[in-house]
Amino acid sequence: QVQLVESGGGLVQAGGSLRLSCATSGRTYSAYAMGWFRQAPGKEREFVASITWGGASTDYADSVKGRFTISRDNAKNTVYLQMNSLIPEDTAVYYCAAGGAYSTINYRSWDYWGQGTQVTVSS
């Protein structure tokens, strides 16, 4: 089993930055990829970014490309999401997820989830 714990959320002003962390434990090596998703009130959970454990291949949603950066520290079993130039539309609960080579931008294709961390961007 894989356990995921997010941290680093908070309240920031538009234009500010936050770095989210996802600490992993358990059989993390069995996961091919890690992802970040977010869910705003009244909206479905949407894909933000993903990264593979091996080659660090990354993928981003168009809405965050150029502003967010996903990275991982294999030695620490931790995945990060650096969020810059934040805008109010980024306000959501952010979730860390673990998946396989089959996982896509569809949140239903991912296997394990953290509890989420709130990000609020004020205008």
Side-chain angles (χ1 to χ4, degrees):
Q1 206 83 5
V2 174
Q3 291 80 47
L4 311 173
V5 179
E6 304 98 330
S7 62
L11 173 64
V12 297
Q13 291 184 255
S17 298
L18 282 175
R19 188 176 78 154
L20 306 183
S21 297
C22 175
T24 72
S25 61
R27 299 176 67 87
T28 310
Y29 56 83
S30 67
Y32 175 80
M34 301 295 296
W36 286 99
F37 291 75
R38 66 188 183 186
Q39 188 164 23
K43 296 279 192 174
E44 285 199 339
R45 192 165 299 186
E46 68 171 343
F47 173 80
V48 176
S50 67
I51 189 168
T52 59
W53 282 113
S57 177
T58 59
D59 194 19
Y60 296 93
D62 288 342
S63 59
V64 306
K65 196 170 297 182
R67 299 189 298 120
F68 291 10
T69 302
I70 188 170
S71 61
R72 88 275 187 272
D73 186 331
N74 296 61
K76 295 181 178 180
N77 296 314
T78 301
V79 179
Y80 306 95
L81 185 68
Q82 179 66 47
M83 306 185 295
N84 298 327
S85 302
L86 285 162
I87 58 176
E89 288 77 11
D90 295 319
T91 296
V93 177
Y94 283 70
Y95 296 91
C96 179
Y102 48 80
S103 297
T104 70
I105 63 171
N106 185 343
Y107 72 90
R108 295 183 177 91
S109 67
W110 294 74
D111 303 314
Y112 301 97
W113 295 89
Q115 83 288 351
T117 185
Q118 176 71 229
V119 171
T120 302
V121 184
S122 62
S123 59

